[in-house]
Amino acid sequence: MSAIVIKVSTNEMKKITQYYQSDRLAKTAPYTLFTAKKNQTTITAYQSGKIMFQGANAEKEAALWGNATASTQKKTVAANTLPAGFSEKNAIGSDEVGNGSYFGPLVVCAVYAEQGHLSRLKEMGVKDSKMLTDQQIRAMAPKIKALVPFQLLTVTPEKYNQIQPAYNTVRMKVALHNQAIRLLLEKIAPQKPEAILIDQFTSEKNYRTYLKAEKHAVTAPLFFATKGEQYHLSVAAASILCRTVFLDALDKASKELGFKVPSGAGHPSDLVAAKILQIGGEELLGKYAKLHFANTEKAKIIAQGK
């Protein structure tokens, strides 16, 4: 059995922990943060900052995060692979929100920002949605929509649960990013972007492998970068529009159910899911949650009072 060990920074560990949230195993060994099973690979994260990948696809799974010893190394690689002056180019940027949250939809957005838009976006305070409050995001979104062409795609939890068995998370996101970009290209035609930047969620090789399955694949001029909002404001604008749709969906779910539906995939989500199960069973839960997450089984145990 092949095994690969990488060491990551604290920030990178948080990102990886969130990524494997839905694949985590209940049992954990001493000195570990989590153990997960995905793509025939066991992933074990240690308190020391090391992560071990064991199994048939260990090399492929580890390649998602590289052999970096710190997240700054990934930043340098991304910056070096982007053309000079990239941040000032006429570019499409795409991002997604909701992938790591048990409740709420998976939302993907592509935004086309020309040079003439960039100063206006900066004046608005556009940056990574994770660095903004919900109030700031909601105030900014209408202004972004009025300024730049965009394409939003939303996969509701109900739809997500229907397609998830056939589409793993990465394949689903590749399909959505590609579709959002393709539809946006049609909107702005005959204009053509100098570049298309995807906020990287898997390796470029992996993305292009899944892309081959798409009927209308956009293959160029594609670029990939982790923390893509740092390299072009189109990605930051896309993340804000995604986040707004996601927040609105959680608010709508909370109103329909009569109690607050949280984001994320922590214990509060288990408790709310258990409450929904008690009201309407798994059928009702499937309208609001991504059922393949480990939270579902935890919620069932709580709902049964065990």
Side-chain angles (χ1 to χ4, degrees):
M1 178 183 291
S2 60
I4 296 176
V5 177
I6 64 172
K7 186 172 177 60
V8 299
S9 69
T10 301
N11 287 337
E12 193 73 0
M13 181 65 81
K14 289 179 181 178
K15 183 177 179 181
I16 294 171
T17 300
Q18 182 182 26
Y19 180 83
Y20 290 111
Q21 180 68 41
S22 62
D23 305 291
R24 290 173 66 165
L25 303 178
K27 294 182 180 180
T28 56
Y31 309 110
T32 62
L33 296 173
F34 72 84
T35 300
K37 188 72 176 285
K38 185 168 186 172
N39 297 333
Q40 297 180 296
T41 303
T42 300
I43 303 99
T44 306
Y46 295 90
Q47 294 172 358
S48 63
K50 292 183 178 180
I51 304 177
M52 182 168 62
F53 300 84
Q54 293 176 291
N57 295 312
E59 185 174 352
K60 182 177 180 181
E61 199 67 24
L64 298 178
W65 314 104
N67 295 315
T69 56
S71 60
T72 51
Q73 183 173 338
K74 289 192 105 178
K75 286 185 188 178
T76 303
V77 171
N80 287 342
T81 56
L82 296 177
F86 190 90
S87 64
E88 300 301 317
K89 289 185 178 294
N90 300 328
I92 286 178
S94 69
D95 199 2
E96 86 278 336
V97 169
N99 176 60
S101 180
Y102 180 56
F103 288 109
L106 172 60
V107 188
V108 172
C109 182
V111 164
Y112 178 52
E114 299 178 88
Q115 287 184 351
H117 295 139
L118 299 178
S119 60
R120 293 280 302 281
L121 290 172
K122 287 178 183 177
E123 289 170 7
M124 288 181 197
V126 170
K127 55 186 174 182
D128 183 10
S129 64
K130 299 182 189 68
M131 301 173 66
L132 300 167
T133 65
D134 292 350
Q135 186 177 4
Q136 288 173 319
I137 288 168
R138 283 178 155 146
M140 212 176 289
K143 298 176 183 177
I144 294 172
K145 288 181 177 180
L147 177 65
V148 295
F150 65 93
Q151 178 65 54
L152 274 161
L153 296 176
T154 303
V155 180
T156 65
E158 201 165 14
K159 182 65 175 178
Y160 183 99
N161 293 327
Q162 289 173 6
I163 62 178
Q164 186 274 324
Y167 279 68
N168 64 39
T169 304
V170 174
R171 184 184 175 190
M172 192 184 301
K173 289 197 290 184
V174 170
L176 290 168
H177 277 270
N178 180 70
Q179 185 179 6
I181 291 166
R182 179 178 62 81
L183 292 174
L184 183 55
L185 285 169
E186 291 177 0
K187 281 184 179 180
I188 66 174
Q191 297 180 82
K192 292 184 179 180
E194 297 174 88
I196 300 170
L197 179 62
I198 295 173
D199 191 47
Q200 190 164 5
F201 54 87
T202 188
S203 67
E204 179 176 353
K205 181 180 178 182
N206 210 26
Y207 182 97
R208 291 188 182 277
T209 297
Y210 282 118
L211 192 60
K212 293 176 183 177
E214 297 305 306
K215 187 175 181 180
H216 302 288
V218 179
T219 58
L222 286 181
F223 295 89
F224 303 83
T226 55
K227 303 185 187 301
E229 68 281 349
Q230 296 182 359
Y231 303 108
H232 204 279
L233 286 174
S234 59
V235 178
S239 74
I240 290 170
L241 296 188
C242 283
R243 183 70 180 169
T244 304
V245 173
F246 179 76
L247 291 172
D248 288 347
L250 289 185
D251 285 352
K252 183 174 182 289
S254 299
K255 186 176 180 179
E256 290 174 353
L257 291 166
F259 46 84
K260 183 174 176 57
V261 175
S263 63
H267 188 57
S269 294
D270 300 338
L271 297 176
V272 171
K275 193 171 182 178
I276 296 172
L277 284 171
Q278 291 170 339
I279 295 170
E282 195 164 330
E283 183 179 353
L284 181 62
L285 181 60
K287 292 181 178 180
Y288 300 101
K290 305 176 184 75
L291 295 178
H292 75 104
F293 276 43
N295 302 77
T296 301
E297 296 306 314
K298 295 176 185 177
K300 288 179 180 178
I301 294 172
I302 295 171
Q304 294 167 1
K306 294 181 180 180

